[in-house]
Amino acid sequence: MRQRLTALSPFLYLLPALVALAGVLGYPVLDAVWTSLKHSVPTDPSADRFTGLANYRAIFGNGAFWTALGHTGLWALANLVLQLTIGFGLALLMHQKLAGRALFRSVVIIPWVVPSVVVAVIWRYLLDPTSGPLNQLLMSTGLTQEPVLWLANQATAMPVVILLSVWKWTPFVAVILLAGLQAIPEELHEAAMIDGAGLWGRLLHVVVPGIRTSLTLASLLTIGYSVNNFNGIWLFTQGGPIGATETLTTFAYRKAFTEFDFGSAAAVAVVLFAGLFVVSTAYFFSVEGRKGRKL
């Protein structure tokens, strides 16, 4: 009996945390799944009824859902490529023993620590078509004759919000990759130089393999928070103009709080959750499974 209690003691210590997780994570997920299987309109609670997979059939038959899914894929892919590329360059610079390195590192991470609402206020002012400094600069230098409607034009809205997201979140990627660079032993660089490897050779055969785990972690986290980044779209364009920046998160929000169709909104959220669950599973298999490796 005593041996059995001793074997169970680790699980008993974990029990409070598991109960808390079940409450704050498990219940909302199960409630969303249950809501997605119902006709649920908050303005008429008496009309709630079980409809099975009707909400899923409705959203899969809705062209706006597939458009939002395409925008979500474009949004996540562009953020992934740009943030990794620029973040890698910043990490290499921050890793160098330069004068004022501490100040440079502090300046680089400023966009990451600024709240999303403040970022939206600053950039909406800079991009304002009538009083924004950017349009005034372009017009004063003759690069354009008329103010550019950066966030109100279907051709420019998505590229602009992508660049703003890259501006805010690239420092986060750079910090992850910097941690990987600092974990590479200096002896490996010295051995590669003795073997005649140049800068490009050391980058390909020492640096990139050495930060492979950090690259994997940064890639998966970037995909996860980009897909789930509601503020990055809503605070600038609210999914417009004419759906040009509509992603699955803004589509679900619009279903819930504009059309008051909570059942369809929950169905979109469940589809989004399933996709992110796949990404999270890939993360645990590719990163957490590598025992004994450092970032």
Side-chain angles (χ1 to χ4, degrees), residues 196-258:
L199 181 62
W200 184 247
R202 279 182 283 142
L203 188 66
L204 282 182
H205 301 296
V206 177
V207 174
V208 172
I211 63 169
R212 185 173 54 191
T213 303
S214 296
L215 282 171
T216 304
L217 173 62
S219 301
L220 294 172
L221 288 178
T222 301
I223 293 172
Y225 67 66
S226 295
V227 171
N228 206 29
N229 187 0
F230 172 78
N231 289 341
I233 296 287
W234 192 260
L235 292 175
F236 291 101
T237 63
Q238 298 187 354
I242 318 177
T245 58
E246 188 88 289
T247 61
L248 287 181
T249 53
T250 58
F251 180 74
Y253 182 88
R254 200 179 304 284
K255 280 286 181 186
F257 300 106
T258 301

Side-chain angles (χ1 to χ4, degrees), residues 75 79 82 86 158-168:
W75 164 260
N79 272 284
L82 294 175
I86 301 173
M158 180 59 89
V160 169
V161 292
I162 287 174
L163 290 177
L164 296 180
S165 175
V166 170
W167 177 81
K168 175 168 176 55

Side-chain angles (χ1 to χ4, degrees), residues 11-48:
F11 299 100
L12 294 177
Y13 287 126
L14 291 174
L15 187 59
L18 294 176
V19 172
L21 279 177
V24 301
L25 180 62
Y27 173 75
V29 171
L30 293 176
D31 186 63
V33 172
W34 173 241
T35 303
S36 71
L37 301 175
K38 296 190 303 178
H39 173 74
S40 179
V41 179
T43 54
D44 187 13
S46 62
D48 280 11

Side-chain angles (χ1 to χ4, degrees), residues 63-200:
F65 169 81
W66 296 107
T67 301
L69 181 62
H71 289 163
T72 303
L74 173 64
W75 164 260
L77 180 62
N79 272 284
L80 175 66
V81 173
L82 294 175
Q83 289 185 33
L84 279 185
T85 304
I86 301 173
F88 183 55
L90 287 174
L92 288 175
L93 286 175
M94 290 193 290
H95 188 55
Q96 303 302 313
K97 296 178 181 178
L98 304 173
R101 184 171 68 173
L103 177 62
F104 176 63
R105 289 181 175 181
S106 302
V107 171
V108 166
I109 66 171
I110 286 177
W112 178 34
V113 300
V114 174
S116 298
V117 174
V118 177
V119 171
V121 171
I122 293 173
W123 280 103
R124 287 181 71 89
Y125 164 71
L126 294 175
L127 299 174
D128 189 273
T130 56
S131 59
L134 182 58
N135 270 318
Q136 291 181 2
L137 176 64
L138 294 176
M139 294 176 68
S140 63
T141 56
L143 293 176
T144 179
Q145 301 301 318
E146 298 179 353
V148 180
L149 305 177
W150 299 105
L151 298 173
N153 187 313
Q154 285 183 278
T156 59
M158 180 59 89
V160 169
V161 292
I162 287 174
L163 290 177
L164 296 180
S165 175
V166 170
W167 177 81
K168 175 168 176 55
W169 289 102
T170 295
F172 175 65
V173 173
V175 169
I176 294 176
L177 299 183
L178 176 62
L181 290 174
Q182 291 176 332
I184 299 175
E186 191 61 30
E187 291 79 6
L188 291 180
H189 290 282
E190 295 173 355
M193 292 175 69
I194 292 173
D195 290 341
L199 181 62
W200 184 247

